[in-house]
Amino acid sequence: MNNEADSATPLDTRRMKIDNTSKTISRVTRYTVVRALTIFGTIIVSLFLSIMVANMGGYVDEIRRGLIREDVQQRFITEASLRRLTSDEKQLRMDEMIQAEEHRQGLDQPFMLRAVRYMWNALTLDLGRATNMNSDSGSREVSKILLERLPKTLLLWTSSNILLFFLSIGVALSLSRKYGSFLDKVVVALSPTSSAPAWFYGIFVILIFAAILKLLPFGGMVDTPPPDNPVAYALSLLKHMALPVLAFACSTGIASVYGWRTFFLIYSSEDYVEMAKAKGLHPRTIERRYILRPTLPAIITNFALLLVFSWSGATVFETVFNWPGLGLIFFRAITLVETSVIVGETVIFAYLLGITVFLLDFVYVLVDPRVKIGR
């Protein structure tokens, strides 16, 4: 007796394929929508909490009201037309000017209402104008202040992370072949040194290579004045990037090598790796097919999140090296209580992180056929 598969006609087979395809599309679509809404909801909650913290629960409004009052009082001292008013006229005029300025800045509305409105504006990237900060071109638009510094931060951190990431993968793979060697023991012994942050090593490398040896500049992005020649400008940029990259390597390089080396050792001891060795496959083929490929999801996750999280933690690091990026601007925004800039950086980071996490689910499917979206 023929089974069901043998008795199926070509038309039935085609219908089954169409039905499976439609189910797959439906599953992927449903998962994509739910995942996107979940991530967006997380962004909304985190951004609202950031606004509350940045405004100190409304205490910053009291600071701004005090600054407005001081500014109006100063105008009554310096402007002759206001000094000629009587006491009652001065008080009335002062109250009118204070109320007008508070209305212009929205301080006459309830704090929670303004917080929700500000959150919506931030989500739509309508970040408004800064009060105490401006861009290098003189603009007070928060978007221009951030977009002017974003490429400089990405240049330093992205290039450093890409360089150190692939270098650490290569060194770790080499150490996994030479388990117990002298170099392997040195890496294991030095791995605790990565517990110190990058800015901590930054102080030491500046002291050694800039202050004592005078080989490299103390900080900044390029020489002053910047070279006009593109080649000279690029060389100056590389010279100024040397110490930040070195400090970053001292902080994360050895730990990354140690972590990936251990990861590769675990996978290299699996039974299917031993069977591949017994079949006589070339060691490079074994590493590529049976060690690197199963670890690709973890490697891709680590690399993607490293790129996003790296520049978000650059505040102190960029301040130490006087690197004109988002980290230095964020530090200045905190000292000047510039809420709009703080929230602007937060929303950029939240969107970058959300997009990265969303895309990772689809990247996993490409590198690992065992993963099915929506299952």
Side-chain angles (χ1 to χ4, degrees):
M1 181 181 293
N2 294 332
N3 55 30
E4 184 177 347
D6 294 334
S7 60
T9 65
L11 180 61
D12 294 334
T13 304
R14 190 179 304 111
R15 288 176 178 174
M16 291 176 59
K17 290 181 178 179
I18 295 175
D19 186 53
N20 291 334
T21 302
S22 62
K23 289 181 179 179
T24 301
I25 294 175
S26 176
R27 186 183 75 247
V28 172
T29 303
R30 183 171 60 253
Y31 176 82
T32 302
V33 172
V34 173
R35 186 66 167 165
L37 291 177
T38 303
I39 293 176
F40 188 70
T42 305
I43 292 175
I44 292 176
V45 173
S46 62
L47 183 58
F48 184 76
L49 293 177
S50 299
I51 292 174
M52 296 295 292
V53 172
N55 282 280
M56 303 180 190
Y59 180 70
V60 172
D61 290 350
E62 299 301 323
I63 298 176
R64 293 170 62 187
R65 289 190 180 96
L67 293 175
I68 291 173
R69 182 171 293 276
E70 290 180 4
D71 182 62
V72 171
Q73 291 174 349
Q74 188 65 28
R75 291 181 59 184
F76 274 84
I77 296 174
T78 57
E79 296 183 15
S81 60
L82 296 175
R83 289 201 306 267
R84 289 194 293 266
L85 299 175
T86 64
S87 299
D88 293 339
E89 291 175 337
K90 284 183 179 179
Q91 187 62 44
L92 181 60
R93 180 61 176 159
M94 185 181 297
D95 292 340
E96 290 176 352
M97 293 174 66
I98 291 174
Q99 291 177 4
E101 184 62 22
E102 289 182 351
H103 176 73
R104 188 185 71 83
Q105 297 188 20
L107 296 176
D108 57 339
Q109 299 176 358
F111 169 71
M112 291 301 298
L113 177 62
R114 287 187 294 107
V116 173
R117 184 180 302 162
Y118 194 79
M119 180 189 67
W120 173 253
N121 291 336
L123 289 172
T124 56
L125 299 180
D126 181 13
L127 302 174
R129 295 172 60 86
T131 305
N132 304 311
M133 298 179 64
N134 54 270
S135 64
D136 293 338
S137 60
S139 175
R140 288 189 177 272
E141 294 290 333
V142 176
S143 57
K144 291 184 179 179
I145 294 175
L146 297 179
L147 292 177
E148 191 177 69
R149 302 299 180 108
L150 178 61
K152 300 173 183 178
T153 290
L154 293 179
L155 172 65
L156 175 63
W157 289 94
T158 304
S159 58
S160 300
N161 276 294
I162 291 176
L163 175 64
L164 294 175
F165 182 82
F166 287 104
L167 184 62
S168 63
I169 290 292
V171 174
L173 196 59
S174 176
L175 289 179
S176 66
R177 304 188 204 109
K178 305 172 183 177
Y179 175 70
S181 64
F182 174 77
L183 184 58
D184 183 58
K185 294 178 180 178
V186 169
V187 170
V188 174
L190 293 179
S191 59
T193 60
S194 295
S195 59
W199 62 263
F200 177 82
Y201 288 103
I203 296 174
F204 284 96
V205 297
I206 289 175
L207 177 64
I208 296 172
F209 294 98
I212 299 177
L213 300 179
K214 302 184 185 303
L215 296 176
L216 295 169
F218 283 86
M221 184 174 173
V222 292
D223 295 333
T224 305
D228 296 328
N229 188 288
V231 177
Y233 188 92
L235 293 176
S236 176
L237 178 62
L238 291 176
K239 181 176 66 175
H240 284 76
M241 287 181 61
L243 287 184
V245 172
L246 178 59
F248 185 70
C250 292
S251 174
T252 63
I254 297 179
S256 297
V257 170
Y258 176 73
W260 290 120
R261 163 257 189 199
T262 305
F263 206 57
F264 293 146
L265 282 175
I266 294 174
Y267 274 86
S268 63
S269 61
E270 294 289 344
D271 294 338
Y272 55 81
V273 175
E274 297 296 333
M275 183 175 294
K277 292 179 181 179
K279 289 181 178 180
L281 294 179
H282 195 275
R284 302 292 183 183
T285 304
I286 295 175
E287 288 179 352
R288 185 177 65 255
R289 293 182 181 178
Y290 301 102
I291 298 179
L292 278 177
R293 188 170 182 178
T295 61
L296 271 180
I299 292 176
I300 292 174
T301 302
N302 181 274
F303 179 63
L305 296 181
L306 191 64
L307 286 178
V308 178
F309 278 109
S310 59
W311 64 266
S312 68
T315 304
V316 181
F317 187 81
E318 290 188 0
T319 304
V320 169
F321 287 99
N322 196 29
W323 187 269
L326 287 175
L328 187 60
I329 283 293
F330 192 72
F331 179 78
R332 292 176 180 172
I334 294 175
T335 57
L336 295 174
V337 199
E338 191 61 75
T339 306
S340 56
V341 177
I342 297 174
V343 175
E345 289 211 27
T346 303
V347 71
I348 289 177
F349 171 69
Y351 274 132
L352 281 175
L353 180 59
I355 292 172
T356 302
V357 173
F358 179 76
L359 293 179
L360 277 176
D361 290 337
F362 298 92
V363 175
Y364 291 149
V365 177
L366 299 177
V367 300
D368 192 346
R370 297 173 299 178
V371 178
K372 301 296 182 182
I373 292 180
R375 290 185 180 176

